[in-house]
Coordinates of all heavy atoms in Angstrom, one line a residue:
M1 N 0.8 -1.2 0.0 CA 0.0 0.0 0.0 C 0.9 1.2 0.0 O 1.8 1.3 0.8 CB -0.9 0.0 1.2 CG -1.9 1.1 1.2 SD -3.2 0.7 2.4 CE -3.1 2.2 3.4
T2 N 0.6 2.2 -0.9 CA 1.4 3.4 -1.0 C 0.9 4.4 0.1 O -0.3 4.7 0.2 CB 1.2 4.0 -2.4 OG1 1.6 3.1 -3.3 CG2 2.1 5.3 -2.5
P3 N 1.8 4.9 0.9 CA 1.4 5.9 1.9 C 1.0 7.2 1.2 O 1.5 7.6 0.2 CB 2.7 6.2 2.7 CG 3.8 5.7 1.9 CD 3.3 4.7 0.9
T4 N 0.0 7.9 1.7 CA -0.5 9.1 1.2 C -0.1 10.2 2.2 O 0.0 10.0 3.4 CB -2.0 9.2 1.0 OG1 -2.6 8.9 2.2 CG2 -2.4 8.1 0.0
R5 N 0.2 11.4 1.6 CA 0.5 12.5 2.4 C -0.7 13.3 2.8 O -1.6 13.4 2.0 CB 1.4 13.5 1.7 CG 2.8 12.8 1.4 CD 3.7 13.8 0.7 NE 3.9 14.9 1.5 CZ 4.7 15.9 1.3 NH1 5.4 15.9 0.2 NH2 4.8 17.0 2.1
A6 N -0.7 13.8 4.0 CA -1.9 14.6 4.5 C -1.8 15.9 3.8 O -0.7 16.4 3.5 CB -1.8 14.7 6.0
P7 N -3.0 16.6 3.6 CA -2.9 17.9 3.0 C -2.3 18.9 3.9 O -2.3 18.7 5.1 CB -4.4 18.2 2.7 CG -5.2 17.2 3.5 CD -4.3 16.1 3.8
F8 N -1.8 19.9 3.4 CA -1.1 21.0 4.2 C -2.2 21.6 5.1 O -3.3 22.0 4.6 CB -0.4 22.0 3.4 CG 0.9 21.5 2.9 CD1 1.1 20.8 1.8 CD2 2.1 21.7 3.7 CE1 2.3 20.3 1.4 CE2 3.3 21.3 3.3 CZ 3.4 20.6 2.2
D9 N -1.9 21.9 6.3 CA -2.7 22.5 7.3 C -2.0 23.6 8.0 O -1.1 23.3 8.8 CB -3.3 21.5 8.2 CG -4.4 22.1 9.1 OD1 -5.0 23.2 8.7 OD2 -4.6 21.6 10.2
P10 N -2.2 24.9 7.7 CA -3.2 25.4 6.8 C -2.8 25.2 5.4 O -1.6 24.9 5.1 CB -3.2 26.9 7.1 CG -1.8 27.2 7.7 CD -1.4 25.9 8.4
P11 N -3.7 25.2 4.5 CA -3.5 25.0 3.0 C -2.4 25.9 2.5 O -2.2 27.0 3.0 CB -4.8 25.2 2.4 CG -5.8 25.1 3.4 CD -5.1 25.5 4.7
L12 N -1.7 25.5 1.4 CA -0.8 26.4 0.8 C -1.5 27.6 0.2 O -2.5 27.5 -0.4 CB -0.1 25.6 -0.4 CG 0.8 24.4 0.0 CD1 1.2 23.7 -1.2 CD2 1.9 24.8 0.9
D13 N -0.9 28.8 0.4 CA -1.6 30.0 0.0 C -1.1 30.3 -1.4 O -0.3 31.2 -1.6 CB -1.2 31.2 0.9 CG -1.9 32.5 0.5 OD1 -2.9 32.4 -0.1 OD2 -1.3 33.5 0.9
L14 N -1.5 29.5 -2.4 CA -1.1 29.7 -3.8 C -2.3 29.9 -4.7 O -3.3 29.2 -4.5 CB -0.3 28.5 -4.2 CG 1.0 28.2 -3.5 CD1 1.6 26.9 -3.9 CD2 2.0 29.3 -3.8
P15 N -2.3 30.8 -5.6 CA -3.4 31.0 -6.5 C -3.6 29.9 -7.5 O -2.6 29.3 -8.0 CB -3.1 32.3 -7.2 CG -1.6 32.4 -7.2 CD -1.2 31.7 -5.9
W16 N -4.8 29.5 -7.8 CA -5.1 28.5 -8.9 C -5.1 29.3 -10.2 O -5.7 30.3 -10.3 CB -6.5 27.9 -8.6 CG -6.9 26.9 -9.7 CD1 -7.6 27.2 -10.8 CD2 -6.5 25.6 -9.8 NE1 -7.7 26.1 -11.6 CE2 -7.0 25.1 -11.0 CE3 -5.7 24.7 -9.0 CZ2 -6.9 23.7 -11.4 CZ3 -5.5 23.4 -9.4 CH2 -6.1 22.9 -10.6
L17 N -4.4 28.8 -11.2 CA -4.3 29.4 -12.5 C -5.0 28.5 -13.5 O -4.8 27.3 -13.6 CB -2.8 29.6 -12.9 CG -2.0 30.5 -12.0 CD1 -0.6 30.5 -12.4 CD2 -2.6 31.9 -11.9
S18 N -5.8 29.1 -14.3 CA -6.6 28.4 -15.3 C -5.6 27.8 -16.3 O -4.5 28.4 -16.6 CB -7.5 29.3 -16.1 OG -8.5 29.8 -15.2
P19 N -5.9 26.6 -16.9 CA -5.0 26.1 -18.0 C -4.7 27.1 -19.1 O -5.6 27.8 -19.6 CB -5.8 24.9 -18.5 CG -6.7 24.5 -17.4 CD -7.1 25.8 -16.7
G20 N -3.5 27.2 -19.4 CA -3.1 28.2 -20.5 C -3.0 29.6 -20.0 O -2.6 30.5 -20.8
A21 N -3.2 29.9 -18.8 CA -3.1 31.3 -18.2 C -1.6 31.7 -18.2 O -0.8 30.9 -17.8 CB -3.7 31.4 -16.9
H22 N -1.3 32.9 -18.6 CA 0.0 33.4 -18.6 C 0.1 34.6 -17.7 O -0.7 35.5 -17.7 CB 0.4 33.8 -20.0 CG 0.5 32.7 -21.0 ND1 1.6 31.8 -21.0 CD2 -0.3 32.3 -22.0 CE1 1.4 30.9 -22.0 NE2 0.2 31.1 -22.5
L23 N 1.1 34.6 -16.8 CA 1.3 35.7 -15.9 C 2.5 36.5 -16.5 O 3.4 36.0 -17.0 CB 1.7 35.2 -14.5 CG 0.6 34.3 -13.8 CD1 1.2 33.8 -12.5 CD2 -0.7 35.1 -13.7
K24 N 2.4 37.8 -16.3 CA 3.5 38.7 -16.7 C 3.7 39.8 -15.6 O 2.9 40.1 -14.8 CB 3.0 39.5 -18.0 CG 2.9 38.5 -19.2 CD 2.6 39.3 -20.4 CE 2.4 38.3 -21.6 NZ 2.1 38.9 -22.8
G25 N 5.0 40.3 -15.7 CA 5.3 41.4 -14.8 C 5.3 41.1 -13.3 O 5.7 40.0 -12.9
A26 N 4.7 42.0 -12.6 CA 4.6 41.9 -11.1 C 3.8 40.7 -10.7 O 4.1 40.1 -9.7 CB 4.0 43.2 -10.5
E27 N 2.8 40.4 -11.5 CA 1.9 39.2 -11.1 C 2.7 37.9 -11.2 O 2.6 37.1 -10.4 CB 0.7 39.2 -12.1 CG -0.4 38.3 -11.7 CD -1.6 38.4 -12.6 OE1 -1.4 38.5 -13.8 OE2 -2.7 38.4 -12.0
A28 N 3.6 37.8 -12.2 CA 4.4 36.6 -12.4 C 5.5 36.6 -11.3 O 5.7 35.5 -10.7 CB 5.1 36.6 -13.8
E29 N 6.0 37.7 -10.9 CA 7.1 37.8 -9.9 C 6.5 37.4 -8.5 O 7.1 36.6 -7.8 CB 7.7 39.2 -9.8 CG 8.7 39.3 -8.7 CD 10.0 38.5 -8.9 OE1 10.3 38.2 -10.1 OE2 10.6 38.2 -7.9
E30 N 5.2 37.9 -8.2 CA 4.6 37.5 -7.0 C 4.3 36.0 -6.9 O 4.5 35.4 -5.9 CB 3.3 38.3 -6.9 CG 2.5 38.0 -5.6 CD 1.2 38.8 -5.5 OE1 1.0 39.7 -6.3 OE2 0.5 38.5 -4.5
F31 N 3.8 35.5 -8.0 CA 3.5 34.0 -8.1 C 4.8 33.2 -7.9 O 4.8 32.3 -7.1 CB 2.9 33.7 -9.5 CG 2.6 32.2 -9.6 CD1 1.5 31.6 -8.9 CD2 3.4 31.4 -10.4 CE1 1.2 30.3 -9.1 CE2 3.1 30.0 -10.6 CZ 2.0 29.5 -9.9
Q32 N 5.9 33.6 -8.5 CA 7.1 32.9 -8.3 C 7.6 33.0 -6.9 O 8.0 32.0 -6.3 CB 8.2 33.5 -9.2 CG 9.5 32.7 -9.1 CD 10.6 33.3 -10.1 OE1 10.6 34.5 -10.3 NE2 11.4 32.4 -10.6
Q33 N 7.5 34.1 -6.2 CA 7.9 34.2 -4.8 C 7.1 33.4 -3.9 O 7.6 32.8 -3.0 CB 7.9 35.7 -4.4 CG 8.9 36.6 -5.1 CD 10.3 36.0 -4.9 OE1 10.7 35.6 -3.8 NE2 11.0 36.0 -6.0
K34 N 5.8 33.2 -4.2 CA 4.9 32.4 -3.4 C 5.3 30.9 -3.6 O 5.3 30.1 -2.6 CB 3.4 32.6 -3.7 CG 2.9 33.9 -3.2 CD 1.4 34.1 -3.5 CE 0.9 35.3 -2.9 NZ -0.6 35.4 -3.0
V35 N 5.6 30.5 -4.8 CA 6.0 29.1 -5.1 C 7.3 28.8 -4.4 O 7.4 27.8 -3.8 CB 6.0 28.9 -6.6 CG1 6.7 27.6 -6.9 CG2 4.7 28.9 -7.2
I36 N 8.2 29.7 -4.5 CA 9.5 29.5 -3.8 C 9.3 29.4 -2.3 O 9.9 28.5 -1.6 CB 10.5 30.7 -4.1 CG1 10.9 30.6 -5.6 CG2 11.7 30.6 -3.2 CD1 11.7 31.8 -6.1
A37 N 8.5 30.2 -1.7 CA 8.2 30.2 -0.3 C 7.6 28.9 0.1 O 7.9 28.3 1.1 CB 7.4 31.4 0.2
A38 N 6.6 28.4 -0.7 CA 6.0 27.1 -0.4 C 6.9 26.0 -0.4 O 6.9 25.1 0.4 CB 4.8 26.9 -1.4
Y39 N 7.9 26.0 -1.4 CA 8.9 24.9 -1.5 C 9.9 25.0 -0.4 O 10.3 24.0 0.2 CB 9.6 25.0 -2.9 CG 10.5 23.9 -3.1 CD1 10.0 22.6 -3.5 CD2 11.9 24.0 -3.0 CE1 10.8 21.6 -3.8 CE2 12.7 22.9 -3.3 CZ 12.2 21.7 -3.7 OH 13.0 20.7 -3.9
T40 N 10.4 26.2 -0.1 CA 11.5 26.3 0.9 C 11.0 26.4 2.4 O 11.5 25.7 3.2 CB 12.4 27.5 0.6 OG1 11.6 28.7 0.6 CG2 13.1 27.4 -0.7
K41 N 10.0 27.2 2.6 CA 9.6 27.5 4.0 C 8.5 26.4 4.5 O 8.6 26.0 5.6 CB 9.0 28.9 4.2 CG 10.1 29.9 4.0 CD 9.6 31.3 4.1 CE 10.8 32.3 3.9 NZ 10.4 33.5 3.3
R42 N 7.6 26.1 3.6 CA 6.5 25.2 4.0 C 7.0 23.7 3.7 O 6.3 22.8 4.0 CB 5.3 25.5 3.2 CG 4.6 26.8 3.5 CD 3.9 26.9 4.9 NE 3.0 25.8 5.1 CZ 1.7 25.8 4.7 NH1 1.2 26.8 4.1 NH2 0.9 24.8 5.0
R43 N 8.1 23.5 2.9 CA 8.6 22.2 2.6 C 7.6 21.4 1.7 O 7.6 20.2 1.8 CB 9.0 21.4 3.8 CG 9.9 22.1 4.8 CD 11.4 22.1 4.4 NE 11.9 20.7 4.3 CZ 13.0 20.4 3.6 NH1 13.7 21.3 3.0 NH2 13.4 19.2 3.5
A44 N 6.8 22.1 0.9 CA 5.9 21.5 0.0 C 6.7 20.8 -1.1 O 7.7 21.3 -1.5 CB 4.9 22.5 -0.5
S45 N 6.2 19.7 -1.6 CA 6.8 19.1 -2.8 C 6.4 19.8 -4.0 O 5.4 20.5 -4.0 CB 6.4 17.6 -2.8 OG 5.1 17.5 -3.2
I46 N 7.1 19.6 -5.1 CA 6.7 20.2 -6.4 C 5.4 19.7 -6.8 O 4.5 20.4 -7.2 CB 7.8 19.9 -7.5 CG1 9.1 20.6 -7.1 CG2 7.3 20.3 -8.8 CD1 10.3 20.3 -8.1
R47 N 5.1 18.4 -6.5 CA 3.8 17.8 -6.9 C 2.6 18.5 -6.0 O 1.5 18.7 -6.5 CB 3.8 16.3 -6.7 CG 4.7 15.7 -7.7 CD 4.4 14.2 -8.0 NE 5.4 13.6 -8.8 CZ 5.5 13.7 -10.1 NH1 4.6 14.5 -10.7 NH2 6.5 13.1 -10.7
D48 N 2.9 18.8 -4.8 CA 1.9 19.5 -3.9 C 1.6 20.9 -4.5 O 0.5 21.3 -4.5 CB 2.4 19.6 -2.5 CG 2.4 18.3 -1.7 OD1 1.6 17.4 -2.1 OD2 3.2 18.1 -0.8
I49 N 2.7 21.5 -4.9 CA 2.5 22.9 -5.5 C 1.7 22.8 -6.8 O 0.9 23.6 -7.1 CB 3.9 23.6 -5.7 CG1 4.6 23.8 -4.3 CG2 3.7 24.9 -6.5 CD1 6.0 24.2 -4.4
C50 N 2.0 21.8 -7.6 CA 1.2 21.6 -8.8 C -0.2 21.4 -8.6 O -1.1 22.0 -9.2 CB 1.7 20.3 -9.6 SG 3.4 20.5 -10.2
K51 N -0.6 20.6 -7.6 CA -2.0 20.3 -7.2 C -2.6 21.6 -6.7 O -3.8 21.9 -7.0 CB -2.1 19.3 -6.1 CG -1.8 17.9 -6.6 CD -1.9 16.9 -5.4 CE -1.3 15.6 -5.8 NZ -1.3 14.7 -4.6
A52 N -1.9 22.5 -6.0 CA -2.5 23.7 -5.5 C -2.7 24.8 -6.5 O -3.5 25.7 -6.3 CB -1.6 24.2 -4.3
T53 N -1.9 24.8 -7.6 CA -1.9 25.9 -8.5 C -2.5 25.5 -9.9 O -2.8 26.4 -10.7 CB -0.4 26.4 -8.8 OG1 0.3 25.3 -9.4 CG2 0.2 26.9 -7.5
G54 N -2.6 24.2 -10.2 CA -3.0 23.8 -11.5 C -2.0 23.8 -12.6 O -2.3 23.6 -13.8
R55 N -0.7 24.1 -12.2 CA 0.4 24.1 -13.2 C 1.0 22.8 -13.3 O 0.9 21.9 -12.4 CB 1.4 25.2 -12.8 CG 0.9 26.6 -12.5 CD 0.0 27.1 -13.5 NE 0.6 27.4 -14.8 CZ 0.0 28.0 -15.8 NH1 -1.2 28.3 -15.7 NH2 0.7 28.2 -16.9
S56 N 1.7 22.6 -14.4 CA 2.4 21.3 -14.6 C 3.7 21.2 -13.7 O 4.2 22.2 -13.3 CB 2.8 21.1 -16.1 OG 3.8 22.0 -16.4
Y57 N 4.1 19.9 -13.6 CA 5.4 19.7 -12.8 C 6.5 20.5 -13.5 O 7.3 21.1 -12.8 CB 5.7 18.2 -12.8 CG 6.9 17.8 -12.0 CD1 6.7 17.4 -10.7 CD2 8.2 17.9 -12.5 CE1 7.8 17.1 -9.9 CE2 9.3 17.6 -11.7 CZ 9.1 17.2 -10.4 OH 10.2 16.9 -9.7
G58 N 6.6 20.4 -14.8 CA 7.7 21.1 -15.5 C 7.7 22.6 -15.3 O 8.7 23.2 -15.2
S59 N 6.5 23.2 -15.3 CA 6.4 24.7 -15.2 C 6.8 25.1 -13.8 O 7.5 26.1 -13.6 CB 5.0 25.2 -15.5 OG 4.1 24.8 -14.6
I60 N 6.5 24.3 -12.8 CA 6.9 24.6 -11.4 C 8.4 24.4 -11.2 O 9.1 25.2 -10.6 CB 6.0 23.8 -10.4 CG1 4.5 24.2 -10.4 CG2 6.6 24.0 -8.9 CD1 4.2 25.7 -10.2
H61 N 8.9 23.3 -11.7 CA 10.3 23.0 -11.7 C 11.1 24.2 -12.3 O 12.1 24.6 -11.8 CB 10.6 21.7 -12.3 CG 12.0 21.2 -12.1 ND1 13.0 21.6 -12.9 CD2 12.5 20.3 -11.2 CE1 14.1 21.0 -12.4 NE2 13.8 20.2 -11.4
K62 N 10.6 24.6 -13.5 CA 11.3 25.7 -14.2 C 11.3 27.0 -13.4 O 12.3 27.7 -13.3 CB 10.6 25.9 -15.5 CG 11.3 26.9 -16.5 CD 10.6 26.9 -17.8 CE 11.3 27.9 -18.7 NZ 10.6 27.9 -20.1
L63 N 10.2 27.3 -12.7 CA 10.1 28.5 -11.8 C 11.1 28.4 -10.7 O 11.6 29.4 -10.3 CB 8.7 28.6 -11.2 CG 7.6 29.4 -11.9 CD1 6.3 29.3 -11.2 CD2 8.0 30.8 -12.2
L64 N 11.3 27.2 -10.1 CA 12.2 27.1 -9.0 C 13.6 27.0 -9.4 O 14.5 27.4 -8.6 CB 11.8 25.8 -8.2 CG 10.4 25.8 -7.5 CD1 10.1 24.4 -7.0 CD2 10.4 26.8 -6.4
A65 N 13.9 26.5 -10.6 CA 15.3 26.3 -11.0 C 16.1 27.7 -10.9 O 15.6 28.7 -11.3 CB 15.4 25.8 -12.4
G66 N 17.3 27.6 -10.3 CA 18.1 28.8 -10.2 C 17.8 29.6 -9.0 O 18.5 30.6 -8.7
H67 N 16.7 29.3 -8.3 CA 16.3 30.0 -7.1 C 16.4 29.2 -5.8 O 16.4 29.8 -4.7 CB 14.9 30.6 -7.3 CG 14.8 31.5 -8.4 ND1 15.2 32.8 -8.4 CD2 14.3 31.3 -9.7 CE1 15.0 33.4 -9.6 NE2 14.5 32.5 -10.4
V68 N 16.3 27.9 -5.9 CA 16.4 27.0 -4.8 C 17.3 25.9 -5.0 O 17.7 25.6 -6.1 CB 15.0 26.4 -4.5 CG1 13.9 27.5 -4.2 CG2 14.5 25.5 -5.6
T69 N 17.7 25.2 -3.9 CA 18.5 24.0 -4.0 C 17.4 22.9 -3.9 O 16.7 22.8 -2.9 CB 19.5 23.8 -2.9 OG1 20.4 24.9 -2.9 CG2 20.2 22.5 -2.9
F70 N 17.3 22.1 -5.0 CA 16.3 21.0 -5.0 C 16.6 19.9 -3.9 O 17.8 19.6 -3.7 CB 16.2 20.4 -6.3 CG 15.5 21.3 -7.3 CD1 16.3 21.9 -8.4 CD2 14.2 21.6 -7.2 CE1 15.7 22.7 -9.3 CE2 13.6 22.4 -8.2 CZ 14.3 23.0 -9.2
R71 N 15.6 19.4 -3.3 CA 15.8 18.3 -2.3 C 15.8 17.0 -3.1 O 15.4 16.9 -4.2 CB 14.5 18.3 -1.4 CG 14.4 19.6 -0.5 CD 13.3 19.4 0.5 NE 12.0 19.3 0.0 CZ 11.1 20.3 -0.2 NH1 11.5 21.6 0.0 NH2 9.9 20.1 -0.7
G72 N 16.3 16.0 -2.4 CA 16.4 14.7 -3.0 C 15.0 14.1 -3.1 O 14.0 14.6 -2.6
R73 N 14.9 13.0 -3.9 CA 13.7 12.3 -4.1 C 13.2 11.6 -2.8 O 14.1 11.2 -2.0 CB 13.8 11.4 -5.2 CG 14.0 12.1 -6.5 CD 14.3 11.1 -7.6 NE 13.1 10.2 -7.7 CZ 12.9 9.4 -8.8 NH1 13.7 9.4 -9.8 NH2 11.9 8.6 -8.8
G74 N 11.9 11.4 -2.7 CA 11.4 10.7 -1.5 C 11.3 11.5 -0.3 O 11.6 12.7 -0.3
Y75 N 10.9 10.9 0.8 CA 10.8 11.6 2.1 C 12.1 11.5 2.8 O 13.0 10.7 2.5 CB 9.7 11.0 2.9 CG 9.9 9.6 3.4 CD1 10.4 9.5 4.7 CD2 9.6 8.5 2.7 CE1 10.6 8.2 5.2 CE2 9.8 7.2 3.2 CZ 10.3 7.1 4.5 OH 10.5 5.9 5.0
A76 N 12.3 12.4 3.8 CA 13.5 12.5 4.5 C 13.5 11.4 5.6 O 12.6 11.2 6.4 CB 13.6 13.8 5.2
H77 N 14.6 10.5 5.6 CA 14.7 9.5 6.6 C 15.4 10.1 7.8 O 16.4 10.8 7.7 CB 15.6 8.4 6.0 CG 15.0 7.6 4.9 ND1 14.2 6.6 5.1 CD2 15.1 7.8 3.6 CE1 13.8 6.1 3.9 NE2 14.4 6.8 3.0
P78 N 14.9 9.7 9.0 CA 15.6 10.2 10.2 C 17.0 9.6 10.2 O 17.2 8.5 9.6 CB 14.8 9.6 11.3 CG 13.4 9.3 10.8 CD 13.6 9.0 9.3
T79 N 18.0 10.2 10.7 CA 19.4 9.8 10.7 C 19.5 8.4 11.2 O 19.0 8.0 12.3 CB 20.2 10.7 11.6 OG1 20.0 12.1 11.2 CG2 21.7 10.4 11.5
G80 N 20.2 7.6 10.4 CA 20.5 6.2 10.8 C 19.4 5.2 10.6 O 19.6 4.0 10.8
T81 N 18.2 5.6 10.0 CA 17.2 4.6 9.8 C 17.0 4.3 8.3 O 16.2 3.5 8.0 CB 15.8 5.1 10.4 OG1 15.5 6.3 9.7 CG2 15.9 5.4 11.9
K82 N 17.8 4.9 7.5 CA 17.7 4.6 6.0 C 18.1 3.1 5.8 O 19.0 2.6 6.4 CB 18.6 5.5 5.3 CG 18.3 5.5 3.8 CD 19.1 6.7 3.2 CE 18.7 6.8 1.7 NZ 19.4 7.8 1.0
K83 N 17.4 2.5 4.9 CA 17.7 1.1 4.6 C 19.1 0.9 4.3 O 19.7 1.6 3.5 CB 16.8 0.7 3.4 CG 16.5 -0.8 3.4 CD 15.6 -1.1 2.2 CE 15.0 -2.4 2.4 NZ 14.0 -2.7 1.4
G84 N 19.7 -0.1 5.0 CA 21.1 -0.4 4.8 C 22.1 0.5 5.6 O 23.3 0.3 5.6
A85 N 21.6 1.4 6.4 CA 22.4 2.2 7.3 C 22.9 1.4 8.5 O 22.2 0.5 9.0 CB 21.7 3.4 7.8
S86 N 24.1 1.6 8.9 CA 24.6 0.8 10.0 C 24.6 1.7 11.3 O 24.9 2.8 11.3 CB 26.1 0.4 9.8 OG 26.2 -0.3 8.5

């Protein structure tokens, strides 16, 4: 059985964008800053951000690239409990 993640509480404060919607100027900058904050401060995954905004994985990844250090795949294992750790 695949574990599911609980929704963020409080929910991510990200605007939903209609498919094909394009942001420009200050509106685009504000959206990018909110996405960066959700990823870095709230520790939301890129997929969680996609669900909250209606944007594709690639578009969110592109927004974050060059502005954040990407985390590794999967969830964070507590120190010493990773499979094969001694």
Side-chain angles (χ1 to χ4, degrees):
M1 186 164 127
T2 305
T4 58
R5 293 183 59 176
F8 279 87
D9 187 22
L12 297 174
D13 182 28
L14 297 170
W16 177 265
L17 301 175
S18 300
H22 295 282
L23 300 176
K24 294 182 181 181
E27 194 174 41
E29 179 65 29
E30 181 182 349
F31 179 73
Q32 183 178 36
Q33 292 306 315
K34 285 183 176 188
V35 168
I36 290 170
Y39 186 78
T40 58
K41 294 179 181 145
R42 296 287 307 278
R43 306 280 300 161
S45 70
I46 294 176
R47 296 203 187 279
D48 289 332
I49 295 169
C50 294
K51 288 178 190 174
T53 62
R55 306 314 289 186
S56 69
Y57 185 95
S59 67
I60 297 301
H61 189 277
K62 188 175 178 179
L63 269 178
L64 293 170
H67 300 283
V68 301
T69 300
F70 289 108
R71 297 187 296 267
R73 294 175 56 165
Y75 69 95
H77 293 275
T79 305
T81 62
K82 195 170 185 179
K83 204 173 197 177
S86 305

